[in-house]
Amino acid sequence: MFKPKTQQNKLNNIPLLKYLYFPTVAFIMVFWLSPVTAASPPSLESLQVSQNTQWVLLTGCLVFFMNAGFAMLESGFCRSANAINVLAKNLIVFAIATIAFWILGFGFMFGDGNDFIGWNGFFLQGADNSPLTDNSYQGVFHSLKWAAIPLPAKFFFQLTFAGTTATIVSGAVAERIKFGAFIAFSFFLVLSYSITGHWIWGSAGDLNLPGGVLYNLGFRDFAGSTVVHSVGGWAALVGTFLLKPRLGKYRKFRRYEKPSPKETTFSGKRIISMPAHNLSTGTLGCFILWLGWYGFNAGSTLTANSEAIAHILLITLIAGAMGGISATFWSWQFYEKPSLAFMINGILAGCVSITASCAFVNITSAALIGVMGGVLVVWATIVLDKYEIDDPVGAISVHLVCGVWGTLAVGLFSQNPNSYAWSQDVFNLDQGGLVFGGSPNLLFAQLIGILLVGIFTVVSSAIAWIFISYFMYIISEAPRSEFKVYKYLRVLPKEEVVGIDSLFADNDHDVDRLRRDYLKRQQEKRSRRKR
């Protein structure tokens, strides 16, 4: 390459440049990288903590995303005039659960206290040196001292469970409950859930013991068939009973109508079908929930144990699949045609049924548990309808009935604790379930736990619903009349007929016109009766 003479002369005047260039660059690189190369490699403990934390946060996000699944499923199963209301409830409920669990719930559930309730850790405050574990742990959350993850990760994951519990109620009371009443009850339910959760997953008064009163009695629930699903189901049952059915759901047979056993309640009324308005979103919701359940169950390890995670994921998949197949078969037998709604709820029933035992059972047992869950969800839905318990989405059948069954399945199908290395510390019992040679003590403990949690949740939920209703009665601007619980929990009849979406600013219908049409129809009905 040609170079001007002036540039050649400048280079000849500094002959040392070509000898100093590479040594200078090398010195700079060594000086820059020396702090990095001098640092000691991360310890195995810190790597394990990092892996555990990433796993728990990932699965926590999956469980959080289950709220979208609930929103899609419930809005799809309800009528179109109530879709906005259902979506709003599923969105706001997690915000309410977050505040309630942060203020009091996490302390009640996992804070150090006695066998029945935690008294430390409110507002996530208090001593805590997580991720140190076992004897090295110092803090006020001894119930979680076995998990080698930071405290914020523990809180986030457990918060998603609290939010799921509150969401279960939303579908069962859909299409007639006041929005404000539901918000108030959601806050209460998170606190009630935290107290019963302490009995099973919390820290006892003796910090050497790993759990609360039910755990120390021998009750086992790995991921929440009772702690989460049954609690939400019991609260939903009480709310549905107090609210009474939707208008027009059950009525007397007309003279020209011939009663059919399939569509007749035990009191002789006709069951009126109120079909789902969009099973496309319902199906999407099912897929989201099924995906989220892998995080729900496998994430409950709170540890990146590859063998345990793989086992629990497969067990959850098998149970959900068998639940869907079983529900499809039995609903086909009853209705003489397949039902997409029961396919959806059958899959969810299988997942709920396996939640308590997913770390303790083998694949064959998981299939049997899922099959039974599918059977129960179909027949429970039919029986509840005949008792005039109006549950638009089948939440009580899925979460309460199958939650109880899944809890009992621990006492029947759990393997010997030595069968799986990861279950020895969590199971912490000498024998497995009754089917595999265990003693009846485990099954008896499961029964006791189901009854105690059920009684507490039913009584506390009834008190909360009645208190909320009475508060609505006191602040009501309407003329005072005789106090009735359901009257002040429900929207007005004309609002229910028009659709609760009419109470939301986002509704694009002509609400005044709809109300006028409703009043006109009511007047026409009265005039026909007089004739």
Side-chain angles (χ1 to χ4, degrees), residues 219-512:
F219 182 90
R220 296 294 180 267
D221 184 355
F222 180 74
S225 285
T226 285
V227 176
V228 176
H229 298 285
S230 289
V231 167
W234 286 119
L237 178 62
V238 174
T240 304
F241 177 78
L242 293 176
L243 272 172
K244 299 186 179 300
R246 290 169 289 176
L247 295 177
K249 177 61 180 175
Y250 308 104
R251 63 168 174 80
K252 294 180 180 180
F253 280 92
R254 298 191 173 98
R255 294 178 181 178
Y256 57 86
E257 293 176 336
K258 184 178 180 180
S260 168
K262 292 182 179 180
E263 58 181 20
T264 305
T265 68
F266 291 134
S267 63
K269 293 182 179 180
R270 182 178 179 182
I271 302 172
I272 304 300
S273 175
M274 295 182 172
H277 92 279
N278 192 338
L279 284 176
S280 297
T281 59
T283 303
L284 175 61
C286 178
F287 274 117
I288 293 173
L289 289 170
W290 203 358
L291 172 65
W293 235 292
Y294 300 140
F296 199 99
N297 288 355
S300 294
T301 58
L302 297 186
T303 303
N305 184 324
S306 58
E307 292 183 2
I309 291 168
H311 176 85
I312 294 170
L313 282 174
L314 180 58
I315 290 294
T316 304
L317 172 62
I318 293 294
M322 295 303 293
I325 293 170
S326 176
T328 301
F329 173 80
W330 287 105
S331 62
W332 202 335
Q333 294 297 308
F334 184 81
Y335 294 106
E336 299 179 358
K337 58 183 71 173
S339 167
L340 175 57
F342 274 115
M343 292 180 200
I344 292 170
N345 276 346
I347 291 171
L348 303 183
C351 291
V352 171
S353 299
I354 202 62
T355 297
S357 62
C358 56
F360 311 137
V361 300
N362 59 30
I363 295 177
T364 304
S365 297
L368 293 174
I369 293 169
V371 166
M372 192 62 190
V375 173
L376 287 173
V377 77
V378 173
W379 293 107
T381 302
I382 294 169
V383 170
L384 287 172
D385 225 7
K386 288 185 172 292
Y387 275 112
E388 299 182 28
I389 301 296
D390 183 17
D391 179 0
V393 304
I396 298 170
S397 302
V398 171
H399 297 279
L400 173 55
V401 175
C402 293
V404 169
W405 157 240
T407 305
L408 292 174
V410 175
L412 294 172
F413 297 103
S414 293
Q415 296 284 299
N416 185 292
N418 296 323
S419 300
Y420 304 120
W422 61 83
S423 71
Q424 293 176 5
D425 294 333
V426 179
F427 201 67
N428 201 26
L429 292 174
D430 297 330
Q431 294 179 319
L434 205 57
V435 173
F436 294 96
S439 71
N441 293 339
L442 177 58
L443 183 60
F444 181 72
Q446 300 300 101
L447 281 168
I448 294 297
I450 290 168
L451 289 174
L452 290 179
V453 171
I455 291 171
F456 180 87
T457 306
V458 166
V459 172
S460 57
S461 296
I463 293 172
W465 283 120
I466 294 171
F467 174 80
I468 293 168
S469 178
Y470 189 71
F471 180 76
M472 295 283 188
Y473 169 73
I474 292 174
I475 65 174
S476 174
E477 297 179 356
R480 293 288 178 86
S481 59
E482 182 184 358
F483 172 69
K484 294 181 180 179
V485 176
Y486 76 90
K487 185 175 181 180
Y488 292 92
L489 291 175
R490 294 179 68 123
V491 297
L492 296 174
K494 62 181 181 181
E495 294 169 342
E496 184 177 344
V497 172
V498 170
I500 308 180
D501 286 358
S502 63
L503 304 175
F504 279 76
D506 313 86
N507 187 49
D508 59 355
H509 299 294
D510 186 347
V511 177
D512 292 333

Side-chain angles (χ1 to χ4, degrees), residues 55-70:
W55 168 246
V56 170
L57 292 178
L58 172 63
T59 53
C61 289
L62 285 175
V63 181
F64 174 83
F65 191 54
M66 289 176 74
N67 288 273
F70 280 114

Side-chain angles (χ1 to χ4, degrees), residues 117-136:
I117 193 169
W119 289 118
N120 289 277
F122 302 129
F123 290 95
L124 214 58
Q125 298 298 307
D128 182 86
N129 65 347
S130 300
L132 297 182
T133 60
D134 299 327
N135 294 329
S136 299

